[in-house]
Amino acid sequence: FSDKSHVISALITRVHEAKLSGSIEVGVWGTGSAKREFIYVEDLARMLVRLMDMAEVPTPINTGTGSDVSIRELAETIVEVIGYQGSLAWDATKPDGMPRKLMDSAAMIATGVAPAFGLRDGLALTYRWFVNNYDSLKR
């Protein structure tokens, strides 16, 4: 299922399965230089609840973290969280996609709700959920 998913779920699946199988390498598309913004679901939920509680919502409004990371940093963090001992094999013949996707979330943060989870913590919680639900996800 990792071939039909977004970057975090695809990488978690590939790295987890490589760890289970003892594979020495995980293939990753592109060079890893593209940058993306990620938000942990509980942070997003708190932001949405805050917006629903407001009498007037500034529009448009972005619900993000206001910071981004390279796909390389994301992949390396996932490897660390999972405890995978193999290496990442970057396939520069595959596309990186847009060089950068970052939103201006200053208006959301000005409402008093800022992200509480950093990248590593959010990935660790996501991976724990993934492991607990792995068998049902494969169906």
Side-chain angles (χ1 to χ4, degrees), residues 74-95:
L74 173 69
E76 290 169 352
T77 304
I78 288 171
V79 163
E80 177 188 318
V81 163
I82 292 175
Y84 174 62
Q85 299 300 310
S87 62
L88 297 170
W90 297 93
D91 184 353
T93 66
K94 303 291 187 199

Side-chain angles (χ1 to χ4, degrees), residues 65-79:
T65 63
S67 64
D68 56 4
V69 297
S70 70
I71 298 300
R72 181 173 298 274
E73 182 181 349
L74 173 69
E76 290 169 352
T77 304
I78 288 171
V79 163

Side-chain angles (χ1 to χ4, degrees), residues 1 10 19-20 32 41 45 51 54 64-65 78 84 96 110 120 128:
F1 53 94
K19 180 181 177 181
L20 291 179
V41 66
L51 292 172
M54 293 174 63
T65 63
I78 288 171
Y84 174 62
D96 276 322
R120 189 184 191 297
R128 184 178 312 143

Side-chain angles (χ1 to χ4, degrees), residues 8-95:
I8 289 179
S9 55
L11 285 172
I12 285 176
T13 301
R14 286 187 204 154
V15 173
H16 176 78
E17 291 177 351
K19 180 181 177 181
L20 291 179
S21 71
S23 177
I24 61 169
E25 184 175 271
V26 172
V28 186
W29 276 28
T31 64
S33 64
K35 295 182 118 186
R36 297 292 182 267
E37 178 179 18
F38 301 101
I39 187 167
Y40 184 62
V41 66
E42 288 184 31
D43 284 332
L44 176 60
R46 282 186 314 101
M47 289 177 176
L48 295 176
V49 167
R50 173 70 178 123
L51 292 172
M52 288 186 282
D53 286 343
M54 293 174 63
E56 286 189 41
V57 176
T59 58
I61 191 163
N62 294 319
T63 53
T65 63
S67 64
D68 56 4
V69 297
S70 70
I71 298 300
R72 181 173 298 274
E73 182 181 349
L74 173 69
E76 290 169 352
T77 304
I78 288 171
V79 163
E80 177 188 318
V81 163
I82 292 175
Y84 174 62
Q85 299 300 310
S87 62
L88 297 170
W90 297 93
D91 184 353
T93 66
K94 303 291 187 199

